Amino acid sequence: MTAEICCDILVIGGGIAGLSLAAEVASRLAAAGQTASPQSASPQARGSSGGVVLVEAEPTLGYHTSSRSARQLIPSYGPPVIRDLTVRTLALIRAAEAELPEPILAPRSFLLIGDEEPVRDRASAHMHPVMPAEALGLAPELRPEAFRAAGLDTTSVACNTDALLDYHRERLTAAGGRIITGQRVQAARRTGSPGRQRWEAAADGMRFEAPVVVNAAGAWADIVAETFGVRPQGLTPYRRTAAVVDVERPLDAGAPMVADACDRFYYRPEGRQVLISPSEREPSAAEDSRPRDTEVQALVELVNSVTTMGITGVARAWTGLRTETPDGLPAVGWDPAVPGFFWLVGQGGYGFQTSSAIAELAAGILLVEDVENGAREALSPARHQV
């Protein structure tokens, strides 16, 4: 027998984007004493009293990209709108930490190295130049001949991404929201009369009904859109591999994350081990990506050539997908042609560091609250639908 669930807002995708938005919307409605969308909301956001439901195709939340993060939030990383969203996200997380038993964020600077021109091109207001001698003092494992210029972002922080996911999960369920895993949406249709239309979505043994669907499906988001009869955004998933390695000379616990300005590698301490990545950007199909042994070995050789850490072996490796829109900025907002369909996609490598700010923005749009945010127009899904 097929189970049926009616709700007001159905969020598809249980990564950091979908989970943080679902938690934010449910929390706002609970604070207002409501389980459904407020009467002041637009017809797109009104429905039954079913509240917020998040459905995830995999058996656990954060299974794909969100569980394969570098766990670093870097205010100097990305274009201006991303940097602004990162600063806001850090403020929101720090406010949340006041109610938590343990912090989510911890100090960890970000050191960018390379030749003068690429370092200068990548620097922002959150990063200041440092002399090579100072950079070597911060990261003594670097070989002096490996770089000529450096920039330092002291506002960068380490992030306990598991704790952040748990925080949003607990917020969502405490506010009456529901989480359903292991259900991949396979078919959908729009039903009802004008002004009272609803989506019907069929998954693996379950059916969902909601006037509003939020597409937060990451690398699968364009596939989900087509299932709902919506034109795709032109999303491209890109591979990003990382490995945790054993080293002869471990980094200090307070060592910065170090990245090459030409995106050849980055590394940071991981306890007594070191996390390394080739920072690759290879297009991929939407899939459960796996690392390639030859690429991991080439990365080990590269990092050994620019540092004196002395990598002795690979403890574990993984590959995630960073999904981008054509212009590299997320798409957040209502679809311009199909009522009741909301985009929350294309976070690329900025997912965790913009998550709370984007959830705040998206919740305001969904619930038709006053949204004074310069990012709204910049992230509009209408800008590049294919």
Side-chain angles (χ1 to χ4, degrees):
M1 182 176 180
T2 301
E4 297 187 6
I5 294 179
C6 294
C7 57
D8 292 285
I9 299 175
L10 177 66
V11 179
I12 300 176
I16 183 61
L19 183 59
S20 58
L21 172 64
E24 181 68 17
V25 171
S27 296
R28 291 190 188 195
L29 296 178
Q34 299 166 304
T35 57
S37 300
Q39 292 300 311
S40 60
S42 71
Q44 288 182 323
R46 294 190 194 135
S48 69
S49 58
V52 180
V53 172
L54 183 148
V55 60
E56 164 58 41
E58 302 295 348
T60 59
L61 297 176
Y63 178 86
H64 289 285
T65 304
S66 293
S67 65
R68 309 173 196 191
S69 166
R71 300 183 175 223
Q72 184 88 4
L73 310 187
I74 310 170
S76 58
Y77 179 48
V81 65
I82 295 297
R83 300 198 295 266
D84 291 344
L85 291 166
T86 301
V87 171
R88 178 59 180 165
T89 293
L90 290 174
L92 290 169
I93 294 175
R94 288 187 173 114
E97 286 180 320
E99 305 174 6
L100 299 175
E102 295 182 359
I104 293 172
L105 307 177
R108 184 163 62 213
S109 296
F110 176 72
L111 181 65
L112 187 68
I113 63 168
D115 290 335
E116 291 183 5
E117 185 174 350
V119 169
R120 184 176 61 249
D121 290 346
R122 289 279 299 273
S124 75
H126 300 284
M127 177 178 285
H128 64 272
V130 295
M131 298 298 292
E134 184 178 350
L136 289 171
L138 296 167
E141 73 282 353
L142 284 168
R143 299 183 188 274
E145 66 274 16
F147 67 103
R148 296 184 178 183
L152 182 66
D153 181 354
T154 57
T155 65
S156 175
V157 294
C159 178
N160 185 335
T161 55
D162 292 338
L164 186 57
L165 288 167
D166 285 344
Y167 164 70
H168 290 304
R169 176 182 55 79
E170 291 168 4
R171 286 180 70 213
L172 174 57
T173 55
R178 296 185 61 182
I179 297 172
I180 299 171
T181 58
Q183 292 290 321
R184 185 178 299 276
V185 174
Q186 299 174 331
R189 64 172 183 164
R190 191 78 164 150
T191 64
S193 58
R196 299 185 62 85
Q197 290 186 317
R198 302 177 63 81
W199 291 107
E200 293 182 359
D204 303 320
M206 299 189 74
R207 291 180 64 253
F208 301 91
E209 289 189 12
V212 170
V213 166
V214 176
N215 181 6
W220 286 262
D222 270 350
I223 297 172
V224 167
E226 290 175 342
T227 299
F228 282 79
V230 177
R231 294 172 64 188
Q233 287 284 315
L235 300 168
T236 302
Y238 292 95
R239 288 173 58 88
R240 177 59 58 91
T241 298
V244 172
V245 297
D246 299 314
V247 296
E248 294 175 347
R249 289 170 287 279
L251 303 174
D252 290 340
M257 179 176 180
V258 177
D260 174 59
C262 291
D263 287 329
R264 296 182 302 151
F265 64 85
Y266 64 75
Y267 65 85
R268 65 160 177 80
E270 178 81 358
R272 298 289 293 174
Q273 299 171 308
V274 177
L275 182 145
I276 62 176
S277 172
S279 301
E280 85 272 35
R281 192 173 181 273
E282 176 187 336
S284 170
E287 62 182 9
D288 189 1
S289 297
R290 292 290 184 263
R292 299 165 182 158
D293 291 342
T294 55
E295 294 177 355
V296 173
Q297 186 54 43
L299 171 63
V300 168
E301 293 173 2
L302 173 60
V303 175
N304 272 340
S305 73
V306 299
T307 74
T308 59
M309 290 185 292
I311 298 173
T312 59
V314 177
R316 61 186 186 277
W318 62 89
T319 298
L321 297 177
R322 300 152 63 99
T323 302
E324 299 182 11
T325 65
D327 64 7
L329 295 178
V332 180
W334 296 110
D335 185 86
V338 179
F341 193 88
F342 193 94
W343 289 94
L344 185 66
V345 300
Q347 289 83 357
Y350 314 120
F352 274 100
Q353 74 176 51
T354 62
S355 57
S356 295
I358 285 182
E360 179 182 61
L361 168 65
I365 299 172
L366 274 168
L367 301 179
V368 196
E369 299 173 352
D370 290 334
V371 178
E372 295 182 5
N373 192 317
R376 179 171 183 168
E377 183 176 349
L379 305 186
S380 169
R383 69 188 191 275
H384 50 44
Q385 261 189 326
V386 299

